[in-house]
Amino acid sequence: MEEKKNYYYQQIHDDLKENILRETCKVGDLLPPENTIARNYGVDRSTVRKALKMLVDDGLVEKIPGKGTVVLDRQKSIRQTATAALHRNIGFLLPSGNAITQPFYSTLFCVLERELKRFNFSLIYSTFNEHDDLLKTISDYSLSGIIFVSNTASAQIGVALEAGIPCTLVNSYDPRIPSVLSDNDNGAYLAGKYLMECGHRSVIILSGVRSYICSAERINGFKRAFAEAGIKIPESAILPADSWEQESGMNAIKHYLTTCKSLPSAIFCLNDRLAFGAMQAIYQCGLKVPEDISVVGYDNLYTQMSLIPLTTIEAHVEALAEATAQSQIWQQYGGQRLPIRINIKTELVEGATVRKL
């Protein structure tokens, strides 16, 4: 019997919540009286009260003595809660499919946490996707600000803007909010220019996930360096990878090397994890780096993992985090949310994975 009652209060909660979110019940409306809901569902009033308590916890309604259960303005409630918080929480929201254990994200998180702690803010990590209820996340964690990370869905940023919550985007770009990125175009341009100076003309690009803004910018910057010398890099020379991880890079390059008609002299990888995967594939195919194929990465976070120093682009992840923290703190203390792009300077780090021809 208890299992059935649990099912009923959950069903009542879900039905009422759907009506509120679809605005069948509008802000300021009264929900039906408890006895009416109980009669409609064939349950006792204690079951209805459990369902209404869940709606109160969701921040969707408020029970007012002598009046009834009133539908709230969720966004207004979120803003009031954030403003009233003495010790504010800021969300570090990473799209599902990415791992906080990756050195890029872990470094970003640790530096952000350190910088925000100086101003008495706590950084809370969570993954989410485009279908998750962002307002519920804000409410559940009592967030007074959000740091969106990487390939965030545009619609989720729109939800945050409508809620009026301070927000910043790092490692991607959205024209509506402060966006902090590595200078991807220039960094990749430096990589291309360096390979050109070393005599490389037959090159391929090992792409990460192509939907990421950093992928497009790095590919464009690399192409630009070769275009200045009158060399066009065709689309067929851009190899897709299933992810940004080492194994994905290894599989992509291994397949390419076992099927191509002629070897490239160099590979530009859009991050260091892909670069190490590419080097692993080269060795597995009986070739050497850089004697047979040169390799350039991007990030400069993984050089300690390599038997030989990797030639890569320094992305200055700590500077990315510090600029992101400053943008968030500025907004937290009343500063305007400026829709600007902040490019963090990049530079080439010469290792031993590029041969001069």
Side-chain angles (χ1 to χ4, degrees), residues 49-70:
R49 290 191 187 107
K50 286 184 180 181
L52 295 179
K53 175 64 167 58
M54 292 171 69
L55 290 174
V56 170
D57 292 341
D58 290 339
L60 293 171
V61 300
E62 179 183 7
K63 298 190 75 175
I64 301 177
K67 185 175 182 180
T69 305
V70 180

Side-chain angles (χ1 to χ4, degrees), residues 276 279 295 303-304 306-312 349-354:
F276 287 120
M279 292 167 66
V295 176
T303 52
Q304 72 279 5
S306 180
L307 295 176
I308 58 176
L310 176 67
T311 298
T312 187
V349 178
E350 291 190 53
T353 56
V354 174

Side-chain angles (χ1 to χ4, degrees), residues 24-176:
T24 303
C25 299
K26 299 185 181 300
V27 174
D29 285 353
L30 288 172
L31 293 183
E34 290 180 1
N35 57 358
T36 301
I37 298 174
R39 186 169 58 252
N40 290 342
Y41 282 89
V43 297
D44 57 37
R45 291 181 66 178
S46 65
T47 302
V48 175
R49 290 191 187 107
K50 286 184 180 181
L52 295 179
K53 175 64 167 58
M54 292 171 69
L55 290 174
V56 170
D57 292 341
D58 290 339
L60 293 171
V61 300
E62 179 183 7
K63 298 190 75 175
I64 301 177
K67 185 175 182 180
T69 305
V70 180
V71 177
L72 294 177
D73 181 342
R74 290 181 79 195
Q75 296 171 357
K76 181 179 179 182
S77 176
I78 289 167
R79 288 194 294 269
Q80 290 174 341
T81 300
T83 302
L86 294 176
H87 188 94
R88 297 175 185 172
N89 298 325
I90 294 175
F92 181 92
L93 302 188
L94 186 63
S96 301
N98 294 281
I100 190 67
T101 53
Q102 294 173 1
F104 177 85
Y105 292 128
S106 61
T107 302
L108 196 64
F109 181 88
C110 288
V111 178
L112 274 166
E113 185 177 46
R114 181 193 72 202
E115 293 300 305
L116 293 171
K117 188 176 181 180
R118 293 169 51 210
F119 294 86
N120 202 33
F121 290 91
S122 294
L123 190 63
I124 297 176
Y125 158 69
S126 181
T127 58
F128 76 113
N129 62 46
E130 60 182 325
H131 303 297
D132 287 341
D133 186 343
L134 181 59
L135 292 180
K136 186 175 188 304
T137 299
I138 295 170
S139 179
D140 287 348
Y141 293 107
S142 300
L143 299 182
S144 65
I146 297 175
I147 294 171
F148 291 111
V149 186
S150 292
N151 207 24
T152 299
S154 176
Q156 294 285 27
I157 293 175
V159 172
L161 290 171
E162 290 179 10
I165 188 168
C167 52
T168 310
L169 178 61
V170 60
N171 198 41
S172 192
Y173 174 70
D174 187 288
R176 298 169 293 178

Side-chain angles (χ1 to χ4, degrees), residues 145-255:
I146 297 175
I147 294 171
F148 291 111
V149 186
S150 292
N151 207 24
T152 299
S154 176
Q156 294 285 27
I157 293 175
V159 172
L161 290 171
E162 290 179 10
I165 188 168
C167 52
T168 310
L169 178 61
V170 60
N171 198 41
S172 192
Y173 174 70
D174 187 288
R176 298 169 293 178
I177 64 174
S179 303
V180 185
L181 303 90
S182 161
D183 191 350
N184 294 301
D185 184 272
N186 185 65
Y189 174 83
L190 293 175
K193 194 77 171 174
Y194 179 71
L195 287 175
M196 289 285 300
E197 292 170 352
C198 291
H200 294 275
R201 299 294 183 270
S202 174
V203 298
I204 61 174
I205 300 171
L206 179 55
S207 166
V209 181
R210 291 294 294 271
S211 61
Y212 277 55
I213 287 172
C214 63
S215 290
E217 293 182 344
R218 290 174 192 179
I219 289 170
N220 288 338
F222 190 78
K223 282 183 172 182
R224 181 163 60 86
F226 278 79
E228 288 180 356
I231 300 173
K232 181 178 180 180
I233 297 179
E235 186 65 25
S236 59
I238 304 173
L239 303 185
D242 295 332
S243 72
W244 292 98
E245 299 307 315
Q246 181 172 337
E247 183 179 5
S248 183
M250 180 192 69
N251 292 337
I253 294 301
K254 192 171 184 179
H255 178 265

